[in-house]
Amino acid sequence: MASEDITKLAESLAKTKVGGGQLSFKGQSLKLNTAEDAEEVIKQIVEFDGLEALRLEGNTVGVEAAKVIAKALEKKRELKRCHWSDMFTGRLRSEIPPALISLGDALITAGAQLVELDLSDNAFGPDGVRGFEALLKSPACYTLQELKLNNCGMGIGGGKILAAALKECHRKSSAQGKPLALKIFVAGRNRLENDGATALAEAFGIIGTLEEVHMPQNGINHPGITALAQAFAINPLLKVINLNDNTFTEKGAVAMAETLKALRQIEVINFGDCLVRSKGAVAIADAVKEGLHKLKELNLSFCEIKRDAALTVAEAIEDKAELEKLDLNGNCLGEEVCEQLHEILEGFNMAAVLGSLSDDEGEEEEDEEEEEEDEEEEEEEEQQQLKERGEEEQESLTPKKIIDSQASTPVPSPPVDVATFLAFPSPEKLLRLGPKCSVLIAQQTDTSDVEKVVATLLRISSVFKDEAPVKTAVHETTDALMKKAFSSATFNSDAFITNLLIHMGLLKSEEKIKAVPSLYGILMTLNHMVQQDYFPKSLAPVLSAFVTKPNRALDSCSFARHMLLQTLHQL
């Protein structure tokens, strides 16, 4: 390491906060790649007697540096709190598991008894969970009370690995007479979906000591919500339930309402943006009315709740003396109902608890047929998910005679051309275009027209999947298209990025342009694009600025967003 780098590191470490058994390197942006890079950090750790908490957030730790830091931790038996969020910025996903394994093994060797483990904002994916799986199963975590894994991109696979590790930890610790008594669990923005949530629900039911559960933005639908509700019912100490931005529908909301009736310690309910709808809201209101006397916050915002249901919710909080906030913003109430809500709460002398209604969607006509259609669409979506997972191998409505007649004669797939793919994009169609798909699409796209380039790029990226054949096809097709576009002297790259941001819903336009329904594909594709030689590096700061800004569409694709920002940070 150069002398000027050592000086810079020493100055940064001079800001290290020490006190109360805590050693903090938080937010120092240290780049610890090698053992030499980590020398000063190790020195501080070794010389700290009675180390109980180590903060490494906001730095970046490589595999080699993690090994030597781990060596220093092997003698820190008193360590109880590991604040290790956001400490792999700019690292390859393949680097993170071995780094975590080294650190975890050190804690096991030291005989530490952890109380808190925070690995949030580390985009390690399912493989990363393997990196601390052994630690979770070890005696070092028998005493764990707080586990924080927010925004880690664990996915369904990671959720299942985590659930199994927690169950094993509980089994082993119970055998020693001191069962795992986890109190706080945080795993928002992890794409857990129904299967991951259901696996974790099983673990929660076994543990039974939870006080706070935070699992927002995980793509969980009513089967997963119902499983969680059943698990929460046997965690009587629950105070906080945050499932914001998942999809309850009536079925999930009713199941959760039944659980709420059995809980007596609840202080915070955050079901905002969970599509509980009117019937679900009424069920939750009934649960609130029957008990929940310690309730401090009820969030049912952006849930498609209509007038009568909203008024029922307001009436349900009449005797909730500790209530501090009721959030019904973003529902379908109308000006008259908003005024009625204020009047009802004023009558209870509780007008101050009602949050803003500035994003109210306005009154809608009650339409039972519309709700039934929504439920039918939901069922159809679930069936489609089952098919994609291979759980349905045949279409149940196909006549038996047709199946029999086709049994011996395979039906050839209809031919696919570029126009068909671009009109109705799907991963299968892209692959069926064959090995020359990238050349064909680039050839048939007028790259002098920015609008057409953006439209084609968005269609290609919309079929992105993290599966080798599809991922490769998307990358190769994107490369052929964008290399052709950016190499053209007449192509306006500034107009391109502006147009793309508008279609992504990140930049407003005077014209009414509908944003793409999901940003996941384009964010993952951009993560590949920006690393290529053809991509103008002058566009990186612009892209970074807009992807960094708060945006609900980006929040729902937090893993892809985090990956792109990490890559842009490295450029």
Side-chain angles (χ1 to χ4, degrees):
M1 184 185 288
S3 59
E4 59 269 23
D5 291 333
I6 295 173
T7 303
K8 186 177 178 182
L9 179 60
E11 289 173 353
S12 180
L13 290 171
K15 301 173 186 175
T16 300
K17 295 179 182 177
V18 177
Q22 174 175 284
L23 178 61
S24 175
F25 301 96
K26 182 178 179 179
Q28 295 184 19
S29 301
L30 303 175
K31 294 182 179 179
L32 308 177
N33 298 316
T34 65
E36 188 181 5
D37 294 339
E39 281 179 359
E40 288 293 328
V41 173
I42 294 165
K43 183 173 179 289
Q44 298 256 12
I45 292 172
V46 170
E47 293 177 355
F48 196 113
D49 291 329
L51 180 64
E52 294 183 7
L54 178 62
R55 307 194 76 103
L56 292 173
E57 312 104 303
N59 300 291
T60 178
V61 181
V63 176
E64 188 180 337
K67 285 181 180 178
V68 291
I69 291 171
K71 195 70 179 173
L73 290 175
E74 286 181 356
K75 296 180 181 179
K76 299 299 173 181
R77 185 182 181 85
E78 300 91 349
L79 189 61
K80 291 180 174 63
R81 298 184 183 274
C82 298
H83 302 278
W84 295 349
S85 64
D86 188 24
M87 69 172 201
F88 296 111
T89 301
R91 299 290 168 188
L92 297 173
R93 271 176 62 174
S94 59
E95 292 181 85
I96 301 176
L100 287 173
I101 288 170
S102 296
L103 294 167
D105 287 349
L107 299 177
I108 296 169
T109 301
Q113 293 186 314
L114 294 184
V115 172
E116 179 179 1
L117 177 61
D118 186 355
L119 292 170
S120 299
D121 299 316
N122 290 310
F124 48 56
D127 293 340
V129 185
R130 294 285 189 199
F132 61 93
E133 180 184 16
L135 173 63
L136 279 181
K137 293 178 179 179
S138 76
C141 284
Y142 290 178
T143 51
L144 194 65
Q145 294 179 17
E146 302 180 30
L147 179 58
K148 300 173 182 178
L149 300 166
N150 203 54
N151 192 30
C152 292
M154 290 189 289
I156 294 171
K160 289 182 175 180
I161 296 167
L162 175 62
L166 288 172
K167 287 191 288 185
E168 181 71 1
C169 180
H170 187 272
R171 185 187 68 79
K172 287 182 174 180
S173 57
S174 296
Q176 293 194 4
K178 294 182 179 179
L180 172 68
L182 191 66
K183 293 180 179 179
I184 297 174
F185 179 83
V186 181
R189 302 181 181 182
N190 270 293
R191 298 180 295 130
L192 294 170
E193 300 180 23
N194 289 333
D195 291 349
T198 300
L200 285 167
E202 187 177 335
F204 295 162
I206 292 169
I207 294 168
T209 56
L210 289 167
E211 295 181 12
E212 295 186 22
V213 175
H214 302 264
M215 296 174 65
Q217 296 183 9
N218 269 299
I220 308 170
N221 298 325
H222 76 78
I225 296 297
T226 300
L228 288 171
Q230 292 167 349
F232 293 165
I234 42 181
N235 280 266
L237 301 177
L238 265 175
K239 296 178 181 177
V240 178
I241 302 176
N242 176 7
L243 294 174
N244 190 284
D245 201 5
N246 288 292
T247 308
F248 282 41
T249 64
E250 181 190 339
K251 291 178 182 178
V254 168
M256 194 61 70
E258 285 302 308
T259 285
L260 291 174
K261 291 177 183 178
L263 300 174
R264 293 288 176 265
Q265 307 300 320
I266 290 290
E267 296 178 4
V268 177
I269 297 171
N270 186 345
F271 298 159
D273 208 6
C274 282
L275 200 64
V276 304
R277 295 202 176 113
S278 294
K279 290 180 181 178
V282 169
I284 292 168
D286 288 343
V288 171
K289 191 170 185 176
E290 287 184 22
L292 306 187
H293 296 292
K294 296 184 179 182
L295 189 64
K296 293 180 179 179
E297 181 178 335
L298 175 59
N299 185 345
L300 295 175
S301 60
F302 299 94
C303 281
E304 292 192 9
I305 300 169
K306 297 179 183 177
R307 54 167 294 151
D308 291 342
L311 296 175
T312 301
V313 171
E315 289 165 354
I317 66 167
E318 180 178 1
D319 62 345
K320 304 298 173 263
E322 296 188 30
L323 193 71
E324 297 171 1
K325 185 176 181 181
L326 171 63
D327 194 345
L328 290 171
N329 200 17
N331 287 300
C332 312
L333 309 181
E335 188 176 340
E336 182 182 338
V337 178
C338 289
E339 290 176 3
Q340 284 181 271
L341 285 174
H342 281 286
E343 289 171 5
I344 290 171
L345 295 174
E346 280 175 1
F348 302 155
N349 197 26
M350 297 176 70
V353 307
L354 185 62
S356 169
L357 297 171
S358 59
D359 291 322
D360 183 63
E361 296 288 340
E363 186 174 7
E364 289 185 9
E365 291 294 324
E366 296 287 346
D367 190 340
E368 292 182 2
E369 289 183 2
E370 185 176 281
E371 289 196 4
E372 287 173 3
E373 287 173 4
D374 287 341
E375 289 174 5
E376 287 171 5
E377 288 174 6
E378 179 194 339
E379 293 296 332
E380 288 171 4
E381 288 172 5
E382 289 173 16
Q383 293 298 322
Q384 184 61 34
Q385 288 174 0
L386 290 172
K387 288 178 184 178
E388 289 174 355
R389 291 174 190 163
E391 294 178 13
E392 290 187 1
E393 297 179 356
Q394 296 179 341
E395 292 182 10
S396 59
L397 298 179
T398 305
K400 187 176 186 301
K401 288 183 180 178
I402 295 177
I403 294 174
D404 291 342
S405 67
Q406 292 177 346
S408 57
T409 309
V411 179
S413 299
V416 173
D417 56 21
V418 171
T420 303
F421 166 73
L422 293 177
F424 304 100
S426 72
E428 294 75 21
K429 286 176 188 167
L430 182 62
L431 295 176
R432 278 164 53 201
L433 280 171
K436 293 186 178 180
C437 64
S438 57
V439 176
L440 292 171
I441 290 176
Q443 284 177 345
Q444 295 185 38
T445 303
D446 181 3
T447 50
S448 65
D449 188 330
V450 167
E451 280 273 4
K452 288 181 180 176
V453 172
V454 169
T456 303
L457 175 62
L458 289 171
R459 286 181 171 86
I460 295 167
S461 64
S462 71
V463 307
F464 179 91
K465 279 187 176 181
D466 202 13
E467 298 171 3
V470 178
K471 185 177 180 179
T472 301
V474 169
H475 285 173
E476 289 178 352
T477 309
T478 298
D479 289 343
L481 173 69
M482 298 314 303
K483 189 173 183 179
K484 179 185 175 186
F486 284 125
S487 62
S488 170
T490 58
F491 188 73
N492 188 330
S493 58
D494 291 333
F496 164 77
I497 200 71
T498 300
N499 198 285
L500 180 62
L501 290 168
I502 289 170
H503 281 82
M504 290 172 69
L506 305 183
L507 183 62
K508 289 184 178 179
S509 170
E510 293 180 1
E511 301 174 21
K512 274 197 171 184
I513 295 177
K514 189 176 181 181
V516 292
S518 171
L519 294 181
Y520 179 74
I522 185 60
L523 289 172
M524 294 301 284
T525 304
L526 283 169
N527 185 52
H528 168 79
M529 269 179 60
V530 300
Q531 299 177 65
Q532 309 310 309
D533 291 338
Y534 61 73
F535 186 81
K537 297 300 180 272
S538 60
L539 299 183
V542 180
L543 189 57
S544 180
F546 280 93
V547 175
T548 305
K549 284 183 178 180
N551 184 286
R552 288 182 67 190
L554 285 170
D555 287 344
S556 64
C557 303
S558 55
F559 173 73
R561 177 192 206 177
H562 189 69
M563 291 285 289
L564 176 57
L565 287 174
Q566 276 192 324
T567 302
L568 290 169
H569 177 74
Q570 289 178 285
L571 295 177

